[in-house]
Amino acid sequence: MKRLMLLLLTIGLLNASCQKEDGSGDKPAPVVSSVSPLRGRAGTVVTISGENFSRLRKENSVKFNGVEAKIVTFNEENIYVEVPEGGTTGPVSISVAGKSVEGSSFEYMDPIIPYTTETFAGDGTAAFADGAGIAAKFNNPEGVAVDSRGNIIVADRVNNRIRKITPEGVVTTLAGTGVAGKVNGPAATATFNGPWKVAVDKNDNIIVADRSNNLIRKITADGMVSTIAGSGVRGSANGQGTSASFNYPQDVEVDASGIIYVVDYTNNLIRKITTDGMVTTLAGSTVGYADGTGTDAKFNAPCGVALDHDGNLLIADRNNHMIRKITPAGVVTTVAGNGTKGVVDGDLLSASFSEPYGLCIAQSGEIFVAELAGHAIRKITKYGEVITIAGNGTAGFADGATASAVRFTNPTDVVTDSQGRVYVADLANHRVRRLVQQK
């Protein structure tokens, strides 16, 4: 009898020992203290920290809103998992040896869809010729805008002309003789002097930053050219129409009510022209960097302007290597860029730009930036991240479907059409390029 009791006791002890070793004893429930990051795309590695996780892989299970995740590695305090394909925004749940706990909600970010870059018009020769696609020629195409019919309007800087590219790629000349001047009148006989960038209003009138003339000009939809503001003498005077002065106006934007905003490059100012022609200063003062209201703010060679869906202006602040925002009340803040020159992707204020020069805002609200010295096209997504969609910081010319293999040389402006296609003024390649998202 004693031997039987001893045998049973031995078996019991061995069984308890086995249970301890395989972790299947009565464990406390898992505790989750953090999930990081709380948003990402499929394939992102997420760290789940807490207590009472198992040392046995088979006992640990992690699901993203019900979809099983792949465990990369783990210990009793941390589980590292890959965000699964096909999941949706929702809670992260952890199960350990059959005991479950729910952690924080994880936000699924839309996947990054790459772009294919192609040549839309121009053959790379610095010359002038109308024609279809690569039969056309430009000489330093500096600015691009889109009209209500989907035509791309081009400020052909050295040719002193405003050109049009139809959705089919046919290039014609809208205004300018090719001779530098500031003659108003019918588009065929009017002259410009270094037209830098353009905007299109709701009636398809074209607003021109006629930089070397220090004027803001208008081309009506029926082909008449006039001067909206500027005396033609370099200066920073506010005032009515031609009594005001600019110092190399670089870019223009126009809102739905007809108010025009001017990036006054050398003055480091953002100016405003009302519908009756009154010019005032909205923001900026001396060269530098400072957020603030009105003249308390500072810019360093601002080059591009775009209007967002809330009536704010976004500014490509070239030599500060930043994207800035101006509210309708004139309050200036920094949207993106750490101030260091470079082509580095990342979160808004950790990313770097290399002379952002032109920008636009798509219907989706995403911001596209043409980087002059970075030879790249960047995108600021709705998630507050900066990504490079074409180019890699090296000058050259190459079309293609791989972002890092595409080459630009000093892209100066960018615009999107109603289908989300991106058009780039590829200045030193004398081409207009187009980026189309892959399917």
Side-chain angles (χ1 to χ4, degrees):
M1 185 67 179
K2 286 183 180 181
R3 289 182 180 178
L4 179 60
M5 291 293 292
L6 183 60
L7 179 61
L8 291 174
L9 178 61
T10 302
I11 292 171
L13 290 171
L14 287 172
N15 187 47
S17 175
C18 289
Q19 285 183 346
K20 279 188 177 181
E21 287 181 4
D22 70 12
S24 60
D26 187 18
K27 285 191 165 188
V31 176
V32 175
S33 58
S34 68
V35 176
S36 179
L38 286 173
R39 68 177 185 181
R41 298 179 174 88
T44 300
V45 175
V46 171
T47 303
I48 302 165
S49 299
E51 299 175 5
N52 305 327
F53 303 149
S54 177
R55 289 176 294 170
L56 299 178
R57 181 182 293 271
K58 66 180 181 179
E59 290 189 345
N60 295 315
S61 173
V62 178
K63 293 182 179 181
F64 284 71
N65 207 17
V67 179
E68 188 82 26
K70 175 187 175 183
I71 295 176
V72 179
T73 187
F74 62 97
N75 55 47
E76 290 174 301
E77 295 178 346
N78 296 286
I79 301 176
Y80 303 88
V81 297
E82 284 186 3
V83 176
E85 296 277 358
T88 55
T89 295
V92 178
S93 58
I94 298 90
S95 177
V96 178
K99 295 181 179 180
S100 298
V101 64
E102 199 168 89
S104 304
S105 181
F106 181 87
E107 179 187 3
Y108 263 79
M109 296 166 65
D110 295 337
I112 295 174
I113 302 174
Y115 289 79
T116 296
T117 301
E118 59 191 18
T119 297
F120 189 52
D123 69 351
T125 305
F128 169 74
D130 287 335
I134 60 172
K137 299 181 190 296
F138 300 92
N139 195 343
N140 290 138
E142 181 84 29
V144 285
V146 63
D147 70 12
S148 66
R149 296 178 178 84
N151 299 304
I152 305 302
I153 309 302
V154 182
D156 194 1
R157 187 180 98 193
V158 178
N159 280 325
N160 295 304
R161 291 177 167 98
I162 307 302
R163 316 283 292 279
K164 180 178 82 172
I165 313 175
T166 68
E168 295 74 35
V170 177
V171 180
T172 56
T173 298
L174 287 177
T177 64
V179 177
K182 52 183 176 182
V183 175
N184 289 322
T189 57
T191 55
F192 301 89
N193 189 2
W196 225 255
K197 293 186 183 179
V198 287
V200 181
D201 71 14
K202 65 180 182 180
N203 297 316
D204 280 340
N205 299 305
I206 300 167
I207 313 300
V208 182
D210 195 0
R211 184 175 126 140
S212 297
N213 277 328
N214 295 295
L215 301 174
I216 306 303
R217 316 281 292 280
K218 180 169 80 170
I219 308 169
T220 63
D222 60 359
M224 291 298 293
V225 178
S226 61
T227 298
I228 295 172
S231 63
V233 177
R234 293 171 65 179
S236 59
N238 290 322
Q240 185 70 39
T242 55
S243 67
S245 58
F246 302 93
N247 196 346
Y248 288 158
Q250 187 103 338
D251 197 6
V252 285
E253 179 66 291
V254 57
D255 69 17
S257 67
I259 293 174
I260 298 167
Y261 300 92
V262 181
V263 174
D264 197 357
Y265 177 74
T266 307
N267 281 328
N268 295 292
L269 301 175
I270 308 303
R271 315 286 291 278
K272 176 179 173 181
I273 309 174
T274 62
T275 54
D276 61 357
M278 180 59 69
V279 179
T280 56
T281 297
L282 178 63
S285 53
T286 57
V287 63
Y289 168 73
D291 287 336
T293 301
T295 55
D296 289 336
K298 294 184 179 184
F299 302 92
N300 190 348
C303 286
V305 59
L307 190 68
D308 75 12
H309 304 323
D310 298 318
N312 302 301
L313 297 177
L314 292 181
I315 306 296
D317 193 359
R318 176 183 177 180
N319 288 341
N320 279 324
H321 312 293
M322 292 173 171
I323 306 303
R324 315 285 291 281
K325 181 174 80 171
I326 310 175
T327 69
V331 178
V332 179
T333 55
T334 299
V335 172
N338 61 20
T340 302
K341 185 177 182 178
V343 184
V344 179
D345 292 344
D347 293 335
L348 290 177
L349 298 180
S350 64
S352 61
F353 296 89
S354 185
E355 299 185 29
Y357 202 86
L359 75 173
C360 72
I361 301 171
Q363 291 180 356
S364 64
E366 293 179 313
I367 303 165
F368 294 84
V369 180
E371 273 192 336
L372 185 75
H375 311 292
I377 306 303
R378 316 288 292 281
K379 180 164 78 168
I380 302 175
T381 72
K382 63 183 180 181
Y383 301 109
E385 57 182 349
V386 179
I387 62 175
T388 301
I389 62 170
N392 71 349
T394 303
F397 170 74
D399 288 332
T402 303
S404 60
V406 170
R407 296 287 183 273
F408 301 93
T409 303
N410 303 130
T412 49
D413 205 8
V414 62
V415 72
T416 59
D417 66 14
S418 60
Q419 298 181 50
R421 296 174 296 195
V422 184
Y423 298 83
V424 179
D426 192 2
L427 181 80
N429 279 323
H430 311 292
R431 294 174 167 95
V432 175
R433 315 280 289 281
R434 182 167 71 178
L435 283 64
V436 181
Q437 270 195 316
Q438 298 168 22
K439 296 180 180 179

